[in-house]
Amino acid sequence: MKIRVIRRIVTVIIIVGICFWGISQKQTYTNLLSEPNALNKFQVAEFPESLMQSASDQFLHILPQSSIIIRAIAVGEKDYLFHTNQQTVFVQQVYQGEGIQSGEKIHVALRTGFSFRDSFDGKLAELSFVNEMEEGKEYLIFLDKKIDVLRKNDQYDVYYVADSLIAPIFGYENRENVVVDVSGNISTYVPYSLVSGNEFFAATQSALDEFMNIKRQLLERYPR
C-alpha cells in the first residue's frame, strides 16, 4: 500500500515539474509571425493544373449553393490560431443567406487555416492557394455557417468559409499574379516571397488563366 502511495506521489511531482518547466520555457518560444514580412520565410503550394477541371466545376456549380454569400471589405490583419485563421471584414452586401446584415462586422475563418511545419524544403505555410485579403479591399466571400467564437475576446460573430479546393475568396480588384515554374520539382511549393503579390497561387499559366476566368464569371454573377 505504501509503495503504491509513494508511486502516486512521485507521479504527481513529475507531472507538476513538467508543467512548471513548460511554463518557464514559454517565454523562449518564437512567434514566427511577429516580424514584418514574416511570410517571406515560408513556402506556399501552387495549385496544379491537373485539378483545374475539378476546381472549375466546384466553383461555378457548387459555390453558388453556399449558405451565405457576401461582398465585404477586409478591415484588419489576419489572426493565426491553431490550424485555423480568421480575419475581420465589414459586410457591404449580402447576396444570399440569413443572419448577416449589411453594415456589420464579422470574422471570416478558414478551417484549413494556417499551419507551420518543417520539411526538407524548409518551413511550409498552408494558405489554401489564395493569398491573404488586403486590408481596405473588397472581396466576394462564400460562407458555410456561423460557429462559436474562436477566442474569448472575439468582438464579432465568426463564420467558416465554404468547403472548397481553394479558399473561396475572390477580390473585386485584380492583383498582379506571378507563376513560378515547378515542372521539374516533386512538389509545387515555392517561396512565398516570389508570389507575395499574387491573388492565386497557380503552378502554370494555364491554371492561372482558368482561375481568372472563374473569378470573372463569379464576379459577374455577384457584381458590386
Side-chain angles (χ1 to χ4, degrees):
M1 179 65 71
K2 290 183 178 180
I3 294 177
R4 184 178 302 174
V5 173
I6 293 174
R7 285 178 178 175
R8 289 178 179 176
I9 293 174
V10 171
T11 301
V12 171
I13 292 174
I14 292 174
I15 293 174
V16 172
I18 292 174
C19 290
F20 275 109
W21 179 84
I23 293 172
S24 68
Q25 293 298 307
K26 184 178 180 180
Q27 300 301 320
T28 67
Y29 298 161
T30 301
N31 182 354
L32 298 173
L33 295 169
S34 62
E35 301 176 11
N37 302 315
L39 284 177
N40 287 335
K41 298 180 180 180
F42 297 87
Q43 299 199 44
V44 294
E46 294 184 310
F47 196 82
E49 186 174 347
S50 60
L51 295 178
M52 277 311 306
Q53 185 58 55
S54 296
S56 179
D57 292 341
Q58 185 180 66
F59 294 157
L60 298 178
H61 302 295
I62 298 178
L63 281 184
Q65 302 174 33
S66 299
S67 300
I68 303 170
I69 303 173
I70 63 172
R71 173 169 56 88
I73 297 176
V75 295
E77 295 183 353
K78 187 174 289 184
D79 291 326
Y80 301 99
L81 309 173
F82 182 71
H83 287 295
T84 306
N85 64 52
Q86 68 179 29
Q87 190 165 1
T88 306
V89 300
F90 183 69
V91 179
Q92 299 294 295
Q93 186 172 354
V94 179
Y95 298 105
Q96 184 166 292
E98 300 178 353
I100 297 180
Q101 302 296 325
S102 298
E104 72 173 298
K105 290 182 180 179
I106 64 171
H107 293 309
V108 174
L110 286 169
R111 286 186 181 87
T112 53
F114 192 103
S115 60
F116 302 114
R117 55 192 176 92
D118 291 315
S119 75
F120 61 91
D121 290 322
K123 294 186 181 301
L124 308 179
E126 305 299 345
L127 296 184
S128 299
F129 308 105
V130 176
N131 210 347
E132 297 180 304
M133 289 188 284
E134 293 184 299
E135 192 169 355
K137 298 296 180 64
E138 282 189 312
Y139 293 87
L140 174 65
I141 307 173
F142 297 84
L143 299 175
D144 180 13
K145 61 183 178 180
K146 180 180 175 180
I147 62 172
D148 294 334
V149 295
L150 300 175
R151 301 175 307 176
K152 291 183 179 179
N153 62 342
D154 281 337
Q155 296 180 332
Y156 311 113
D157 292 336
V158 182
Y159 291 82
Y160 270 142
V161 300
D163 287 328
S164 178
L165 289 174
I166 73 163
I169 299 172
F170 304 89
Y172 278 89
E173 298 178 25
N174 289 329
R175 297 168 69 170
E176 206 57 47
N177 288 282
V178 174
V179 175
V180 179
D181 184 14
V182 292
S183 57
N185 300 343
I186 298 176
S187 74
T188 65
Y189 281 92
V190 299
Y192 177 80
S193 58
L194 299 181
V195 293
S196 60
N198 285 29
E199 177 176 6
F200 305 110
F201 305 130
T204 65
Q205 185 61 48
S206 295
L208 177 59
D209 291 342
E210 184 60 23
F211 269 138
M212 299 305 295
N213 179 51
I214 292 168
K215 170 184 169 176
R216 177 186 57 78
Q217 293 186 61
L218 289 173
L219 295 189
E220 288 178 353
R221 188 177 300 186
Y222 307 101
R224 289 198 268 196

